[in-house]
């Protein structure tokens, strides 16, 4: 793989608000970047996780088990890569990190991240979203607030809409 220089995401939304991204993203699987802080491939992070200036990114096909989750628990943030907007495996990884393994740090979506996905990503546990370069920040913020009610349970709402209505006694 050719040496790829680390890049800083141009547009980052954190908990729905724009934020300057100070974390470089390195996709070089052979060597750690000199720049810190940096998000690096999982294998490199596992070899150097004592370096507090590093955080891992997970490919969408990561087999997330309890052993790996224990390793990731010490990471200040975990990035999950979307190699294509049609690849939904990253949603599952985020939900597993939050719900099954109780991860409390930042979970960041990277890669082919489109405005149309943001609301659903936030429902699955992503709290930082690094948009693809051609996506507009204004559109992204609007998309995050597009729905006022969710029918299905998610990381943000544990009950389905019908369960909330039954509990509240609202049967309409």
């Amino acid at each position: 793989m050719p040496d790829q220089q680390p890049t800083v995401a141009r547009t980052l939304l954190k908990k729905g608000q724009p934020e300057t991204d100070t974390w470089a993203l390195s996709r070089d699987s052979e060597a750690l970047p000199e720049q810190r802080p940096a998000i690096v491939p999982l294998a490199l992070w596992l070899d150097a996780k004592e370096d507090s200036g590093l955080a891992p990114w997970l490919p969408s096909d990561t087999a997330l088990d309890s052993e790996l989750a224990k390793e990731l628990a010490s990471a200040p943030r975990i990035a999950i890569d979307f190699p294509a907007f049609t690849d939904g495996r990253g949603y599952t990884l985020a939900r597993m990190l939050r719900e099954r393994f109780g991860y409390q740090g930042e979970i960041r979506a990277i890669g082919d991240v489109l405005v149309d996905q943001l609301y659903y990503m936030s429902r699955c546990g992503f709290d930082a979203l690094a948009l693809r370069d051609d996506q507009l920040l204004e559109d992204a913020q609007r998309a995050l607030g597009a729905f006022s009610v969710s029918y299905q349970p998610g990381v943000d709402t544990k009950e389905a809409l019908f369960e909330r209505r039954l509990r509240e006694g609202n049967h309409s």
Side-chain angles (χ1 to χ4, degrees):
M1 175 179 222
D3 182 32
Q4 297 177 355
Q5 295 298 315
T7 58
V8 176
R10 293 181 191 197
T11 306
L12 179 70
L13 281 178
K14 188 163 183 181
K15 297 183 179 175
Q17 298 303 311
E19 186 174 288
T20 302
D21 187 6
T22 59
W23 285 76
L25 174 63
S26 175
R27 293 195 176 268
D28 183 348
S29 62
E30 302 298 320
L32 291 173
E34 290 183 24
Q35 185 175 350
R36 298 288 188 280
I39 298 170
V40 299
L42 175 61
L44 289 178
W45 179 81
L46 286 170
D47 288 340
K49 67 181 176 184
E50 68 283 347
D51 185 338
S52 63
L54 297 176
W57 67 262
L58 309 179
S60 62
D61 63 351
T62 300
L64 185 58
D65 57 19
S66 58
E67 185 177 317
L68 179 55
K70 283 179 191 172
E71 296 283 341
L72 292 170
S74 65
R77 66 193 25 78
I78 298 169
I80 298 175
D81 187 39
F82 285 80
F85 76 90
T86 55
D87 187 339
R89 296 174 290 178
Y91 295 94
T92 302
L93 288 172
R95 277 198 84 159
M96 287 176 65
L97 282 166
R98 293 280 190 225
E99 293 177 336
R100 186 177 298 170
F101 300 115
Y103 182 75
Q104 297 296 309
E106 175 187 297
I107 299 179
R108 179 181 297 198
I110 62 171
D112 199 18
V113 177
L114 305 180
V115 167
D116 295 347
Q117 300 168 284
L118 303 185
Y119 174 75
Y120 304 104
M121 287 177 169
S122 69
R123 301 235 35 240
C124 289
F126 288 96
D127 53 5
L129 307 158
L131 301 174
R132 195 172 74 184
D133 287 343
D134 65 343
Q135 303 296 287
L136 300 176
L137 178 62
E138 299 78 22
D139 293 343
Q141 288 182 293
R142 198 169 24 259
L144 283 171
F147 301 101
S148 60
V149 176
S150 57
Y151 291 101
Q152 304 86 0
V155 170
D156 58 345
T157 306
K158 302 297 181 198
E159 295 177 300
L161 180 61
F162 79 90
E163 293 170 316
R164 293 191 305 265
R165 287 185 172 170
L166 286 173
R167 180 178 40 79
E168 294 166 1
N170 181 357
H171 302 290
S172 56

